[in-house]
Amino acid sequence: MNTDPRDLAGRPVIVGAGIAGLMTALELAPEPVVLLSAAPLGGEASSPLAQGGLAAAVGSDDSPELHLADTLAAGDGLCDEAVVRRIVEAAPQAIERLERLGVGFDRAPDGSIALGLEAAHSRRRIVHAGGDATGRELVRALVAAVRRTPSITVLEGIAARRLIVEDGTIAGVLAADAEGAVTLATGRVVLATGGVGGLFRDTTNPLGCFGQGLALAARAGAELADLEFVQFHPTALDTPVRPMRLVSEAVRGEGAVLVDETGRRFLADLQGAELGTRDAVARGVFRHLGRGHKVFLDTRACLGSRFAARFPAIDAFCREAGIDPALDPIPVRPAAHYHMGGVAVDGEGRSTVPGLWACGEVASTGLHGANRLASNSLTEAVVAAGWVADGIRNAPSRHVAQAETAQAPVRPDASLVRGIVSQALGVLRDGDGLRQAAAALLPLATGAGADADPAAVGLVMAVAALGREESRGAHCRTDHPTRSGVARRSKLTLDAALQIAAELDFTPLARSA
Ligand SMILES: Cc1cc2nc3c(=O)[nH]c(=O)nc-3n(C[C@H](O)[C@H](O)[C@H](O)COP(=O)(O)OP(=O)(O)OC[C@H]3O[C@@H](n4cnc5c(N)ncnc54)[C@H](O)[C@@H]3O)c2cc1C
């Protein structure tokens, strides 16, 4: 690292530079902040991959009330209604804020913002850019805005490996780059590290998104919420490429249908059919694949030769795989896509550890409940970045001494736990599988290997999923197929999960010779 860390002491440190980290840094300006990114700004992040867009009630036939109702319905009883209301009401201003920062959204011929439709939205309310390249445009504009903001010190290629906690309060970040470890002394840290898809074999997330922020928060003692809720996207392009390419729900919004190898629309009877909630469509596709069928998204009748103009990015990667969506049905399967759970935060993005905030996919604000409504996450990240910035500005400043730099833990590697997590925490779960997974992950999570942090995250997720003996939203237990009468959010710390895992009664897997 070229900068002397002592020159940065006391500044808020934002860990991660996807939309949440970039926006938090911009919202804090002109307060000096450090933006720490393991990859180049906006890289190894889900943000640039976003296709559909941002949900905001800006259409003339729409209102925050309708957006609220759709979000609550998708969340299956677990949304925090006050949080949902705050976010949907702030969403239209968030779009204006992004435009002022230089984001160019697509416009209709009359000059109004063009609006797409996605599953389980009762109105056209998806604000997009470059057709299906919304994330790329967001990241382009926000990275440019960050680079021209002198109060933001950008440290690229440096990963946070541990949070330093003294007397239960944040005192710094232990980070590492190729040259070694460095300590950033600060009493204010924002985690903006994204999701957990990289813990799964089939995922649309960059493989580096495997819950590093969750591990940092968990090891600092923070409470985590709703970790069992992982959204599986029903239509990832089914090729060997990882991460899997996403065929956006907006394609189904334009009328594309799901068919099998015989051409049968096997989800026609599902409520909402192809535009039913994501969890229901993903389960329908997963079960149909499990019965030995192949599944395709057929866009030929609804879009045909217009496909390439409406969805240029999807068209390009389909063609790379030898598929022309105007002529061929697109092979698809479900993939881990979004984590509804995360670091439990309050209305200012504060975690239970003083000095630690979380924003974006790593946080659990209560917006998504058991199932995220499509395109609500980018909106949430933009709105919540403002809350976090306000909270940090209002937090009393504390002097934090520059600690000696300790040795950083080895660089985490999720490849060893991916098989265990994919098997136990996939679209369909059961108690036996979850107990096996927790038992297998326990010794890894308490060790010092490269798999320790990914294993700790997988373990807390497995324990949370075991504790939820019902099926709700994206969490489907084949041994508890019904929804319990009482909707409750789940909260766990790493210590509690380790103890539960250590006391589990389970039958070890039979080993093959
Ligand atoms: C293919 C795809 C399409 C999507 N489409 C949409 C959509 O249309 N609408 C929508 O609302 N949502 C969409 N989502 C979800 C949405 O993109 C994400 O929820 C959102 O971008 C997350 O933003 P984030 O800033 O929280 O995390 P990310 O964008 O994932 O950024 C995380 C950052 O943290 C960095 N990082 C991680 N660990 C460390 C560490 N230890 N130290 C330093 N840096 C670290 C990463 O390198 C990265 O820069 C989509 C997701 C995917 C994968």
Side-chain angles (χ1 to χ4, degrees), residues 106 143 205 393:
D106 294 339
V143 167
N205 293 187
R393 260 190 299 269

Side-chain angles (χ1 to χ4, degrees), residues 8-12 31 185-188 398 400:
L8 305 174
R11 297 184 188 189
E31 168 151 2
T186 178
R188 296 170 294 173
R398 274 186 310 117
V400 182

Side-chain angles (χ1 to χ4, degrees), residues 18-19 42 45-55 105-106 118 126-140 204-206 233 244-250 278 310-311 313-314 317 337-338 361 372 374-379 381:
I19 187 167
S46 294
S47 295
L49 304 180
Q51 297 174 346
L54 299 96
F105 290 117
D106 294 339
E118 287 190 347
I126 314 303
V127 179
H128 49 85
D132 55 1
T134 309
R136 203 165 62 205
E137 168 60 8
L138 280 176
V139 168
R140 180 204 64 74
T204 61
N205 293 187
H233 198 290
M244 295 172 84
R245 311 293 204 133
L246 182 72
V247 185
S248 164
E249 216 147 49
R278 255 184 204 176
R310 173 65 182 90
F311 298 107
I314 302 173
F317 65 65
H337 182 59
Y338 183 82
E361 191 166 339
R372 175 186 69 128
S375 286
N376 264 356
S377 41
L378 292 174
T379 305

Side-chain angles (χ1 to χ4, degrees), residues 405-484:
T405 297
Q407 201 184 349
V410 290
R411 186 181 173 159
D413 177 358
S415 57
L416 293 166
V417 306
R418 225 167 252 145
I420 302 172
V421 171
S422 306
Q423 180 72 29
L425 282 151
V427 176
L428 304 177
R429 294 116 182 239
D430 64 49
D432 281 347
L434 291 166
R435 275 185 287 274
Q436 304 278 359
L441 292 168
L442 180 61
L444 308 178
T446 50
D451 46 15
D453 282 356
V457 175
L459 178 119
V460 196
M461 290 171 67
V463 170
L466 250 184
R468 187 169 291 282
E469 294 188 330
E470 63 166 342
S471 290
R472 181 185 293 275
H475 172 71
C476 183
R477 289 272 303 252
T478 53
D479 51 347
H480 293 282
T482 55
R483 205 169 80 144
S484 114

Side-chain angles (χ1 to χ4, degrees), residues 31-260:
E31 168 151 2
V33 297
V34 177
L35 181 57
L36 196 71
S37 179
L41 284 192
E44 194 70 14
S46 294
S47 295
L49 304 180
Q51 297 174 346
L54 299 96
V58 294
S60 55
D61 63 345
D62 202 1
S63 70
E65 275 307 314
L66 290 172
H67 190 179
L68 172 94
D70 293 344
T71 303
L72 295 179
D76 208 1
L78 277 196
C79 298
D80 180 330
E81 186 168 341
V83 170
V84 181
R85 189 173 288 284
R86 266 178 89 196
I87 291 178
V88 298
E89 286 180 353
Q93 293 96 296
I95 301 299
E96 288 168 17
R97 172 83 176 115
L98 290 171
E99 285 193 303
R100 284 197 303 279
L101 285 166
V103 179
F105 290 117
D106 294 339
R107 300 225 158 234
D110 67 358
S112 60
I113 286 187
L115 297 173
L117 178 67
E118 287 190 347
H121 284 274
S122 58
R123 292 289 185 278
R124 285 194 165 260
R125 66 165 71 96
I126 314 303
V127 179
H128 49 85
D132 55 1
T134 309
R136 203 165 62 205
E137 168 60 8
L138 280 176
V139 168
R140 180 204 64 74
L142 298 184
V143 167
V146 162
R147 296 224 189 264
R148 61 176 184 261
T149 304
S151 58
I152 304 172
T153 301
V154 174
L155 301 180
E156 288 165 293
I158 302 190
R161 294 275 168 79
R162 281 290 176 270
L163 299 176
I164 302 168
V165 181
E166 283 170 11
D167 301 328
T169 303
I170 292 295
V173 177
L174 177 61
D177 64 7
E179 287 157 29
V182 63
T183 298
L184 296 167
T186 178
R188 296 170 294 173
V189 172
V190 183
L191 294 175
T193 48
V196 298
L199 289 176
F200 292 80
R201 279 199 214 104
D202 290 346
T203 181
T204 61
N205 293 187
L207 297 187
C209 287
F210 52 76
Q212 294 189 49
L214 281 183
L216 292 170
R219 295 203 187 274
E223 197 170 65
L224 311 174
D226 296 343
L227 292 186
E228 61 276 32
F229 293 108
V230 177
Q231 183 167 79
F232 294 86
H233 198 290
T235 56
L237 180 66
D238 191 9
T239 69
V241 173
R242 293 295 177 276
M244 295 172 84
R245 311 293 204 133
L246 182 72
V247 185
S248 164
E249 216 147 49
V251 177
R252 277 173 281 141
E254 298 295 338
V257 290
L258 285 161
V259 296
D260 63 17

